[in-house]
Amino acid sequence: KNFVSAGFTLFAVGDSVKVLEKNKIPSSKLGEPDVDSVSEDNSIRWVTQKKVDLVINFPKVKEDENNFVLRRKSVDFGVPCLTNEQVVRFLSEALVRVKDFPIKSYNDYLATHNN
């Protein structure tokens, strides 16, 4: 809910769609990650085309190759990928609390914070 409150559009796959619907959190459904699929709604394709700005994907003990490839492609294509539920919760809470968050380069940040 925090991501939506902060103005983000959520895209979900598989069981995540059901969880979001159950909790009345709006989202758009994407296709399951599938390395062999050429479907326009394939979540791996969306990552490689940079149609998403953040991937949240929690690894499972026994999972197929496709979720690994989704996480790997996100790294390869410079799309941040979060794999820890606690980090996702912290980020979503911070996005709601911090209203003005100017994006600066690291050098600009240092220039304004070094005394």
Side-chain angles (χ1 to χ4, degrees):
K1 288 183 181 182
N2 287 342
F3 284 107
V4 173
S5 296
F8 290 89
T9 301
L10 301 182
F11 296 93
V13 301
D15 292 338
S16 300
V17 174
K18 296 173 190 166
V19 170
L20 293 171
E21 285 174 352
K22 180 181 175 186
N23 290 288
K24 297 181 176 32
I25 300 171
S27 68
S28 297
K29 183 178 181 180
L30 284 181
E32 291 280 345
D34 183 350
V35 293
D36 297 322
S37 174
V38 294
S39 171
E40 283 297 319
D41 73 342
N42 180 356
S43 51
I44 292 174
R45 185 180 192 133
W46 275 54
V47 168
T48 60
Q49 293 176 349
K50 294 191 175 192
K51 292 182 177 180
V52 294
D53 298 313
L54 174 67
V55 171
I56 299 172
N57 183 278
F58 304 125
K60 298 175 183 153
V61 175
K62 289 188 177 185
E63 69 177 5
D64 62 17
E65 175 189 10
N66 293 311
N67 280 298
F68 168 78
V69 171
L70 176 68
R71 293 188 300 272
R72 182 71 244 170
K73 291 291 185 185
S74 73
V75 172
D76 291 346
F77 285 83
V79 177
C81 180
L82 300 180
T83 59
N84 180 287
E85 290 181 50
Q86 189 174 21
V87 171
V88 171
R89 189 174 325 112
F90 289 156
L91 174 62
S92 71
E93 291 169 2
L95 289 170
V96 169
R97 288 185 194 162
V98 178
K99 300 298 180 202
D100 182 28
F101 191 74
I103 298 176
K104 299 180 179 181
S105 71
Y106 184 63
N107 288 336
D108 289 343
Y109 174 82
L110 289 178
T112 58
H113 287 82
N114 271 344
N115 295 329

